[in-house]
Amino acid sequence: MGKKDPKLQDNQFDELSVEEQQAILEKYDLESNTRTLGGILKYVIYFGLMAFSLFQLYTAIFGQFPAQIQRTVHLGFGLVFIFLLFPARRKFSKTKVPFYDFILAAGAILIGSYWTINYNRLVQSLGQLEGLDFFIGLLSILLVLEASRRAVGLPITIIASLFLVYAYFGPYFPDFMAHRGQSVDNIVNLMFFTTDGILGTPLAVSSTYIFAFLLFGAFLVKTGVGEYFNDLSIAVAGKLVGGPAKVAIFSSALQGTISGSSVANVVTSGAYTIPMMKSLGYKKEFAGAVEASSSTGGQLMPPIMGAAAFLMVEFIGRGVTYWDIAKAAAIPAILYFTGIWIMTHFEAKRLGLRGLTDEQMPDRKKIFKKLYLILPIFLIIVLMMVGVPVIHSAMYGIVACIIVGMINRDTKTGPREILDALVDGARTALGVIAATACAGIIVGVVVKTGLGLSLATSLVKLAGGSIILTLFFVMIASLILGMGAPTTANYVITSTIAAPAIIALLAPDVPQSAVPIVVLLSAHFFVFYFGIIADITPPVALAAFAASGISGGDPIKTGVEASKLAIAAFIIPYMVVFSPTLLMIDTTLWEIIWVFITALIGMIAIGAGVIGYWYRKVNWIERIFAVVAGLLLIYPEGYSDIAGLIIFAILVTIQYMTREKTDKKKQAIVA
């Protein structure tokens, strides 16, 4: 970690210690609930994780092995370390590995090497299981389910298990879900001996793109970029109205480029920003909500989004690149964070909160001199823009991190730090490996049984063919799944079951191969957004719960406040479906500029309506009109923009002309 500015070290904010941060992570983030081992096992884990990263780097640079070998080795590495590092239950010992976990780890080694040893025979067997094949396939299913339970959580394990039950008992389900059923042999064959089950697309993406960018994120942390993001955010936003809250927003948006976990993002940046917000007058729940909503949005922020974004590239196909996804996500992400920024600004004005004083601010010149620390991120953006493959862009980014780290005197990146980054990157990937392997079980069943088409058709019928109702049902399904499953697994489920329903309504009677790219992106972005925003949606809002663990506020109230602040995330997906100009596809530069500006104005109106303050307190009638004006402006159509601008202008005029004569601290200040 980089050295913090002395002014920041000496301030009065009660920043959480490393131990307190880890305790919160272990409570709300299963991926952080790992053993701390000593003795020879410590070195076995360290060098084993390093070997895992070196294997991934080798295949990224020199080319991948055949799909089954690449994915099973990746899976084997992941399972071995999950059983060695993750206890079977939270309360079990964190310093010893019980004998049964060594047995499970040995089974994982067997699974990870089986395709490598028997590749030629298995490829030529045409799905006919021989000898140990059935046992190995069955073992792989059981180990993946157990690893997912430990590293990801029980809900996704239950969901995957129910899909396996559905695959076997197909004839006994209601007509709209019924199928002929699959034998145990067929299920085992599908799951481990084809590339449609556990070894399917989710694990394929994990073993290539996702791992590469997790490794890049680990190198960014070792370079000191994570620490620098906090300092840069304070330098940019600290003195503004409600500065600490805006620091949290800015910092979390930046942290999202190196963290794919909402909870980890909350703890990393919230350990400092939440105490800072509380000390300057924000209520506990609001302070936690600002951090939770901002940290959750980190997965929506290009250029490096959550793991599900890489899956979207493969699921959509049709030549869509990761850069296409990142570019399409840009305006929605900016609107998301702008909405939170605007609402915290109005809340600060309502409460009369100031920014940080000169004494509390760091040395800006010193911080801005270190802008070179974010060069690796800009390098990746440029490389993807010019068409360099994503995985190669990540490799170049890692090299850039090492160079920048050597220049940065505070981190002094050397051989030890490079080796530690390799280990940290592999450790971070363990939860993703478990989630993608388990998600592969779900995808395999959906593809084999035709469940996706059946449920999509049923969903459209239930909605009576209404696109609004269909979107509403899909939103509810995504939020419910997101409460119990990680974003990656959530997206896999909803994109295979719910997204086809949206596509069917937007492009009726059009073959899948002919569906316009913009329609595919709209449908997939819809489920992607709501899967992520589930992290702050009560009653199970892990990011909000983690934030409340730092703020001391009520978890449910924190989740409600976070949902209010993230109101844009509940609106934008609908707008993307109805008028996908926001995705910057098949449109002109002028249309993009106009849509962006009107949407920003719309977010100001919605922010004032939700918070209840503008130039003065906003009464209920004005709040309703403000929200209506905002919705009209965000919806990218000419007639709605004109109507929204008229209402907005009237409201601004009324607010300005009737503003209260208050203390200078409560005067309208443009941040």
Side-chain angles (χ1 to χ4, degrees):
M1 301 292 286
K3 296 178 182 178
K4 293 192 71 65
D5 188 278
K7 289 185 180 180
L8 296 179
Q9 289 180 328
D10 297 336
N11 64 33
Q12 74 276 33
F13 307 133
D14 298 321
E15 184 176 359
L16 266 66
S17 66
V18 175
E19 292 76 16
E20 290 172 321
Q21 293 179 40
Q22 185 60 31
I24 293 174
L25 273 174
E26 290 181 4
K27 184 176 181 179
Y28 298 108
D29 185 12
L30 274 178
E31 294 181 30
S32 300
N33 187 39
T34 56
R35 297 182 175 115
T36 302
L37 301 173
I40 190 171
L41 269 180
K42 174 182 178 181
Y43 296 101
V44 169
I45 297 293
Y46 185 88
F47 289 106
L49 289 171
M50 187 191 305
F52 186 14
S53 286
L54 291 175
F55 165 78
Q56 294 290 156
L57 284 174
Y58 177 85
T59 57
I61 297 170
F62 299 104
Q64 299 171 32
F65 293 103
Q68 296 91 336
I69 295 177
Q70 178 78 21
R71 299 172 196 180
T72 49
V73 172
H74 180 77
L75 175 65
F77 266 118
L79 293 179
V80 167
F81 293 115
I82 286 174
F83 292 127
L84 293 179
L85 288 172
F86 289 80
R89 295 186 62 183
R90 284 179 180 268
K91 297 180 180 179
F92 286 4
S93 172
K94 297 289 184 64
T95 58
K96 295 181 180 180
V97 180
F99 74 94
Y100 53 80
D101 278 347
F102 283 114
I103 295 174
L104 293 177
I109 293 173
L110 186 60
I111 287 171
S113 59
Y114 198 74
W115 262 99
T116 303
I117 296 171
N118 299 281
Y119 180 75
N120 290 329
R121 178 180 66 81
L122 291 173
V123 168
Q124 296 170 10
S125 67
L126 301 177
Q128 298 299 314
L129 304 185
E130 301 176 6
L132 285 175
D133 294 350
F134 176 82
F135 170 75
I136 295 297
L138 182 61
L139 181 64
S140 71
I141 296 173
L142 296 175
L143 291 186
V144 165
L145 291 174
E146 172 60 11
S148 298
R149 185 190 69 81
R150 295 189 186 195
V152 184
L154 189 59
I156 183 61
T157 308
I158 293 175
I159 293 171
S161 300
L162 290 175
F163 271 81
L164 289 172
V165 171
Y166 171 73
Y168 184 78
F169 291 103
Y172 302 99
F173 280 79
D175 289 342
F176 74 96
M177 293 178 62
H179 63 95
R180 65 180 184 177
Q182 300 292 321
S183 67
V184 175
D185 278 2
N186 285 342
I187 293 173
V188 169
N189 181 62
L190 170 70
M191 290 302 150
F192 191 69
F193 296 101
T194 73
T195 53
D196 291 325
I198 292 172
L199 306 183
T201 299
L203 193 65
V205 177
S206 173
S207 66
T208 51
Y209 309 128
I210 294 177
F211 193 98
F213 273 90
L214 290 175
L215 201 56
F216 172 66
F219 273 91
L220 279 177
V221 171
K222 288 298 178 185
T223 304
V225 174
E227 185 77 25
Y228 179 70
F229 281 161
N230 287 336
D231 292 345
L232 179 63
S233 300
I234 296 173
V236 171
K239 296 198 71 173
L240 302 178
V241 174
K246 292 172 181 175
V247 168
I249 298 167
F250 193 54
S251 174
S252 296
L254 294 174
Q255 290 285 356
T257 63
I258 60 176
S259 170
S261 167
S262 302
V263 174
N265 202 348
V266 166
V267 176
T268 301
S269 55
Y272 183 76
T273 59
I274 290 176
M276 184 164 55
M277 282 186 274
K278 286 172 57 183
S279 70
L280 295 185
Y282 283 103
K283 293 181 179 179
K284 296 176 181 178
E285 287 78 16
F286 191 85
V290 171
E291 183 58 53
S293 56
S294 303
S295 293
T296 298
Q299 295 186 66
L300 306 171
M301 176 60 72
I304 306 169
M305 303 160 67
F310 293 98
L311 288 170
M312 196 185 299
V313 176
E314 298 298 320
F315 279 24
I316 293 177
R318 305 276 298 280
V320 171
T321 65
Y322 182 76
W323 176 247
D324 294 327
I325 302 295
K327 183 178 69 173
I331 291 180
I334 292 172
L335 291 178
Y336 177 90
F337 281 101
T338 301
I340 300 174
W341 184 286
I342 289 168
M343 281 189 268
T344 54
H345 177 71
F346 286 144
E347 178 70 5
K349 288 176 61 179
R350 186 179 71 83
L351 297 175
L353 301 181
R354 59 176 174 80
L356 298 177
T357 63
D358 290 336
E359 291 72 24
Q360 294 168 326
M361 288 290 291
D363 185 340
R364 290 186 177 185
K365 290 183 179 179
K366 182 179 178 182
I367 289 175
F368 289 134
K369 283 180 180 179
K370 290 188 177 182
L371 276 174
Y372 63 83
L373 286 173
I374 60 178
L375 284 177
I377 296 175
F378 283 105
L379 175 64
I380 280 187
I381 296 174
V382 173
L383 291 175
M384 289 194 295
M385 283 180 64
V386 299
V388 175
V390 173
I391 196 166
H392 291 162
S393 298
M395 294 301 102
Y396 289 126
I398 289 172
V399 173
C401 285
I402 295 172
I403 295 172
V404 167
M406 291 177 176
I407 297 173
N408 184 14
R409 294 180 180 179
D410 290 340
T411 56
K412 297 180 181 178
T413 302
R416 178 58 186 269
E417 286 72 27
I418 293 173
L419 296 180
D420 286 348
L422 291 173
V423 172
D424 292 345
R427 186 187 290 263
T428 305
L430 298 181
V432 176
I433 294 169
T436 51
C438 200
I441 293 176
I442 298 168
V443 174
V445 173
V446 169
V447 172
K448 188 71 174 179
T449 63
L451 178 63
L453 180 60
S454 300
L455 288 182
T457 303
S458 301
L459 192 61
V460 172
K461 287 182 179 179
L462 180 64
S466 167
I467 183 65
I468 287 287
L469 280 178
T470 300
L471 292 175
F472 179 76
F473 291 150
V474 171
M475 177 189 75
I476 297 300
S478 299
L479 290 174
I480 291 174
L481 286 169
M483 293 175 189
T487 305
T488 306
N490 183 326
Y491 171 72
V492 169
I493 298 169
T494 53
S495 64
T496 53
I497 294 177
I502 302 175
I503 294 169
L505 285 174
L506 294 179
D509 304 321
V510 177
Q512 179 68 25
S513 59
V515 175
I517 295 295
V518 68
V519 171
L520 294 174
L521 275 174
S522 298
H524 283 263
F525 258 96
F526 190 89
V527 299
F528 174 65
Y529 251 73
F530 283 114
I532 288 175
I533 211 65
D535 278 347
I536 57 171
T537 307
V540 184
L542 292 181
F545 277 48
S548 68
I550 300 173
S551 69
D554 180 85
I556 298 298
K557 290 181 180 178
T558 301
V560 172
E561 289 288 345
S563 297
K564 287 168 57 179
L565 289 173
I567 189 68
F570 292 91
I571 299 171
I572 293 170
Y574 285 90
M575 301 309 176
V576 164
V577 170
F578 287 118
S579 186
T581 306
L582 290 173
L583 299 179
M584 294 192 287
I585 296 177
D586 297 332
T587 187
T588 64
L589 179 60
W590 166 248
E591 289 175 330
I592 292 172
I593 294 173
W594 176 256
V595 165
F596 182 65
I597 292 175
T598 54
L600 282 180
I601 297 173
M603 288 311 306
I604 294 174
I606 289 176
V610 171
I611 296 299
Y613 195 91
W614 204 333
Y615 286 99
R616 58 163 171 77
K617 184 178 180 180
V618 183
N619 62 47
W620 280 103
I621 295 177
E622 291 173 325
R623 293 177 77 167
I624 292 172
F625 275 103
V627 172
V628 170
L631 292 174
L632 289 171
L633 285 162
I634 291 175
Y635 185 67
E637 290 291 344
Y639 68 87
S640 65
D641 288 341
I642 294 173
L645 285 171
I646 291 173
I647 299 174
F648 182 86
I650 293 172
L651 287 172
V652 170
T653 302
I654 293 174
Q655 279 278 312
Y656 185 78
M657 297 298 293
T658 60
R659 69 190 186 281
E660 297 173 350
K661 302 288 185 180
T662 57
D663 186 82
K664 290 183 179 180
K665 291 183 179 180
K666 293 186 178 181
Q667 290 294 323
I669 301 175
V670 179

